[in-house]
Amino acid sequence: MSIVNPDGRKMILTCDGGGIRGLIVTRCLEKLEEIEGDKPCNEIFDFMGGTSTGAIIVAGLAVGMRAAELTRFYREECQRVFQPMPFCERLRHKFGWKYEKAYIRRRLKEELGDIRLEDLAVDIMITAKDTVRGETIFFEKKTFGKMLLRDAVESSISAPVYFRPNGRYIDGGVGSFNNVCYQAAVEALYYNADRYPAGQVRLLSFGTGRGLNNMLEGEAEHKSILDWAFYVIGEGMDDANDQQVYITRKEYADQGKLEFRRYQITFTSEILARIGVKIPEGIELRNVGIDAVEYIDFLDEVGRRFAEYIDFADPRGCDLRERISLTFDPTYFEGLRGRGA
């Protein structure tokens, strides 16, 4: 009997964006395949949705790759994927992006070939931002069935600053849909209700890890404009990811329309110690970015330990987070008054 789907529901998988941190997700999916009797994910799930690195994961799984193959891809090929452009080329392109795309484009061609969305045995949805229409696009079979899977993936991974746009399309995580769990629920239960009947659906949503982007007291007053740009981007993405979880729970799970399981981990010393990960010297948890290839061994350890920690039979999912306690000192603002603008 299936551990994760003992009652035979329709199964949906969604994977967040997060660059190299997708390794955490592939390790979790390896464990899931193992406990499901070594069954590949494209036999466990009926519908897969992903953004950016999540698009790479779901596309690979959809064509029959095992999660372990994707783990090897992240482990062994991350240096070639994040291959810096020569300085003269970056200058020519006004420093619009940092990394070459030739290698990842070639690998997508090798692994996905000329498979179109309509050729896949499972339903799929991949997000991208359409810069001409000024809105997020959801590549799925009904509208984009003739689209090459590799074109959808390349569009979704084209993160501004990191990679060249794919024509008019950039990374699907620009905006509210770095976590696509809510839109996947809408696509299944609203647009395909005949095949995904309410009350007969289970959605597993995997995050790629979040950092607590908290500052020390007084640190905010000394930030540069570049510091604030990175802070705003990071906080906006994390808040949007959590918002999608909240809406999915309130609109679908709490109404009994689907069972929703979220799997996510926060990069703090307390949480990592709970799953048995020792933080190596020199690692700054706030700096585990999407291109942090120097942290690959650390991320692999987090992924393996988190996968072992998860109870995939638990309908609550597994979201490990640490909250800083809220206290208020009524005299706090007294020392700030009179200091000028």
Side-chain angles (χ1 to χ4, degrees):
M1 177 181 289
S2 169
I3 298 296
V4 73
N5 191 26
D7 47 357
R9 298 191 187 197
K10 288 286 188 176
M11 293 284 288
I12 301 175
L13 167 69
T14 64
C15 302
D16 293 8
I20 194 66
R21 301 197 310 266
L23 180 58
I24 295 173
V25 177
T26 65
R27 283 297 192 188
C28 291
L29 294 175
E30 277 189 68
K31 185 63 178 180
L32 180 60
E33 289 183 341
E34 176 189 324
I35 66 173
E36 290 295 291
D38 201 33
K39 185 183 294 186
C41 279
N42 68 345
E43 294 181 15
I44 298 172
F45 295 98
D46 304 283
F47 181 173
M48 300 180 185
T51 298
S52 198
T53 201
I56 293 175
I57 294 171
V58 300
L61 297 174
V63 300
M65 294 178 69
R66 305 301 295 262
E69 295 179 74
L70 289 163
T71 294
R72 284 194 295 274
F73 171 79
Y74 282 94
R75 288 275 318 162
E76 299 172 5
E77 306 193 47
C78 62
Q79 294 282 357
R80 288 185 285 261
V81 170
F82 291 103
Q83 178 66 42
M85 293 178 64
F87 179 82
C88 59
E89 281 296 299
R90 293 195 67 194
L91 180 62
R92 187 166 71 89
H93 294 293
K94 303 177 183 179
F95 294 94
W97 52 86
K98 296 169 60 176
Y99 300 112
E100 298 278 7
K101 227 187 198 183
Y103 183 76
I104 187 64
R105 183 176 283 167
R106 176 166 64 81
R107 293 293 286 118
L108 290 173
K109 169 68 173 176
E110 291 171 355
E111 297 296 338
L112 306 180
D114 293 329
I115 296 173
R116 301 183 184 275
L117 300 190
E118 65 184 9
D119 298 330
L120 297 170
V122 297
D123 291 321
I124 197 164
M125 184 176 69
I126 290 173
T127 67
K129 175 71 75 170
D130 185 334
T131 61
V132 174
R133 291 171 60 92
E135 62 184 32
T136 302
I137 296 294
F138 304 97
F139 297 128
E140 38 70 36
K141 288 184 178 181
K142 283 187 176 179
T143 306
F144 299 94
K146 301 296 183 183
M147 186 179 198
L148 291 178
L149 180 59
R150 56 187 165 94
D151 286 339
V153 173
E154 183 181 342
S155 298
S156 190
I157 67 172
S158 298
V161 180
Y162 296 96
F163 292 108
R164 175 199 297 269
N166 192 23
R168 65 195 285 174
Y169 298 111
I170 60 173
D171 193 304
V174 177
S176 299
F177 296 101
N178 188 61
N179 173 1
V180 75
C181 62
Y182 174 68
Q183 191 60 35
V186 171
E187 184 69 25
L189 278 80
Y190 183 81
Y191 292 106
N192 294 280
D194 56 325
R195 293 186 293 112
Y196 296 91
Q200 299 298 317
V201 178
R202 178 171 286 115
L203 194 162
L204 276 59
S205 170
F206 288 86
T208 57
R210 68 165 80 80
L212 272 185
N213 203 17
N214 54 309
M215 301 182 192
L216 300 175
E217 181 69 36
E219 184 180 349
E221 297 185 1
H222 303 284
K223 291 293 186 183
S224 68
I225 188 170
L226 188 60
D227 292 333
W228 280 118
F230 283 113
Y231 179 84
V232 169
I233 291 170
E235 286 296 282
M237 184 170 290
D238 286 344
D239 286 351
N241 288 347
D242 288 342
Q243 182 186 53
Q244 300 307 308
V245 171
Y246 177 82
I247 296 173
T248 304
R249 285 205 175 109
K250 290 299 179 182
E251 187 168 332
Y252 286 102
D254 289 355
Q255 304 301 319
K257 298 176 182 178
L258 59 70
E259 183 189 277
F260 179 61
R261 303 182 184 184
R262 175 67 171 169
Y263 302 94
Q264 177 67 299
I265 185 169
T266 307
F267 297 142
T268 67
S269 56
E270 178 185 343
I271 295 298
L272 294 174
R274 188 188 306 178
I275 65 172
V277 174
K278 182 178 180 180
I279 304 172
E281 186 176 350
I283 284 188
E284 172 55 62
L285 295 178
R286 289 195 294 182
N287 293 333
V288 187
I290 70 172
D291 59 345
V293 295
E294 68 274 21
Y295 292 168
I296 190 69
D297 292 331
F298 166 72
L299 291 170
D300 196 11
E301 179 71 1
V302 171
R304 290 191 299 105
R305 295 284 187 173
F306 186 41
E308 291 295 330
Y309 185 89
I310 293 172
D311 177 4
F312 281 101
D314 189 342
R316 296 172 298 179
C318 185
D319 189 345
L320 302 181
R321 60 175 63 215
E322 179 181 348
R323 298 187 185 277
I324 298 176
S325 60
L326 178 64
T327 59
F328 177 67
D329 177 2
T331 67
Y332 176 81
F333 292 101
E334 293 179 6
L336 301 180
R337 299 189 186 105
R339 289 170 48 180

